[in-house]
Amino acid sequence: MHPFVHRYELDTSRPTGREVARDLLLRAFLPGAALWVVIVGVGFLIKGPLGNLPGEAGVNEALVSVRTPFLDTVTEMLSAIGMTEFIIGACVLAVALIWWRTRQWWFALVPALAVSLQALIFLTSSIVVGRTRPEVDMLDHAPPTSSFPSGHTGASAAFYLTLALLAQRVRNPALRVALTVLAVLVPFAVGFARLYRGMHSLTDVLAGLVNGVVCAVLAWGYLRRDTSHLRT
């Protein structure tokens, strides 16, 4: 039993509202601010000294050249499970289920925190960086946000990796592994779909993945839990 993965099972003590607020600030939002600085810095580096990485255009053009009606349909569905409306709805459901099953409101906050922190970093950094989208035929309507980082990919990574951590509570080993693998693969599939559909460059997707992964980890570890006496 890994202390980080099972921290909410190993320590179920009820925190105060003040403790939750303190830990949200110190263990989630402050590190999130540091992540924002890194993402914005990389974005400016790409737009400035790196000349918008012109070599990335070859990736998008190669994917355009292999488009088929079947892949168009598959990537449309994959892109849909990373869109804001879907992630918000799934997140609300996850929060409700966790609260119902555990009666631990501080634990039920985790998926919402992961998605919200990711969204805050994505929305503000995309405005600041302002990178243009790839110059290829896009299969979706371009949202008002800029291309860097990928919001679909970031939201998917934040939410589905949180589900992968939650899946470690499943007692059946085969089902636990299957759910974990599926949840881990989804953000990569969404990222590929966004590339295929011409909505993002490769580094947009990679930055979105980093944003989502880090936010999932920060959200899962936001609350101080005492697992020192239960390490195995």
Side-chain angles (χ1 to χ4, degrees):
M1 182 176 285
H2 194 284
F4 181 77
V5 174
H6 296 278
R7 60 201 316 273
Y8 295 99
E9 297 170 85
L10 297 174
D11 182 353
T12 60
S13 61
R14 185 184 186 90
T16 65
R18 184 174 181 176
E19 289 171 335
V20 169
R22 175 202 64 195
D23 288 350
L24 279 171
L25 175 62
L26 297 178
R27 297 166 62 92
F29 287 106
L30 282 182
L35 174 62
W36 183 91
V37 171
V38 172
I39 289 177
V40 169
V42 171
F44 282 146
L45 182 65
I46 290 172
K47 283 190 63 180
L50 298 180
N52 211 34
L53 292 174
E56 284 191 310
V59 176
N60 294 99
E61 292 166 0
L63 289 173
V64 169
S65 70
V66 297
R67 285 177 180 172
T68 65
F70 174 75
L71 287 176
D72 290 354
T73 301
V74 170
T75 56
E76 182 179 14
M77 291 187 294
L78 289 173
S79 186
I81 63 175
M83 67 188 303
T84 301
E85 294 83 355
F86 184 90
I87 293 293
I88 290 176
C91 186
V92 169
L93 179 60
V95 169
L97 287 174
I98 295 169
W99 198 348
W100 171 59
R101 291 298 302 271
T102 68
R103 301 301 178 185
Q104 299 173 8
W105 61 266
W106 56 93
F107 180 32
L109 286 178
V110 171
L113 176 58
V115 171
S116 299
L117 185 59
Q118 175 280 144
L120 180 62
I121 294 171
F122 150 66
L123 288 171
T124 54
S125 63
S126 66
I127 292 171
V128 172
V129 174
R131 189 184 190 189
T132 58
R133 295 185 183 273
E135 295 182 357
V136 295
D137 289 335
M138 292 183 285
L139 297 181
D140 297 321
H141 174 70
T145 52
S146 66
S147 190
F148 182 95
S150 169
H152 281 67
T153 309
S156 298
F159 180 66
Y160 292 105
L161 291 182
T162 302
L163 293 188
L165 289 165
L166 288 168
Q168 305 317 299
R169 291 191 169 210
V170 175
R171 296 185 180 277
N172 183 292
L175 180 59
R176 181 172 64 247
V177 170
L179 291 174
T180 302
V181 171
L182 179 61
V184 169
L185 289 178
V186 168
F188 292 95
V190 171
F192 171 79
R194 301 304 285 167
L195 277 173
Y196 175 91
R197 301 182 69 78
M199 305 307 298
H200 290 285
S201 299
L202 180 59
T203 47
D204 302 336
V205 169
L206 294 177
L209 279 173
V210 170
N211 184 22
V213 170
V214 173
C215 288
V217 172
L218 290 176
W220 192 261
Y222 90 95
L223 186 65
R224 299 166 201 261
R225 300 281 83 184
D226 181 11
T227 62
S228 59
H229 61 294
L230 295 169
R231 293 180 183 275
T232 57

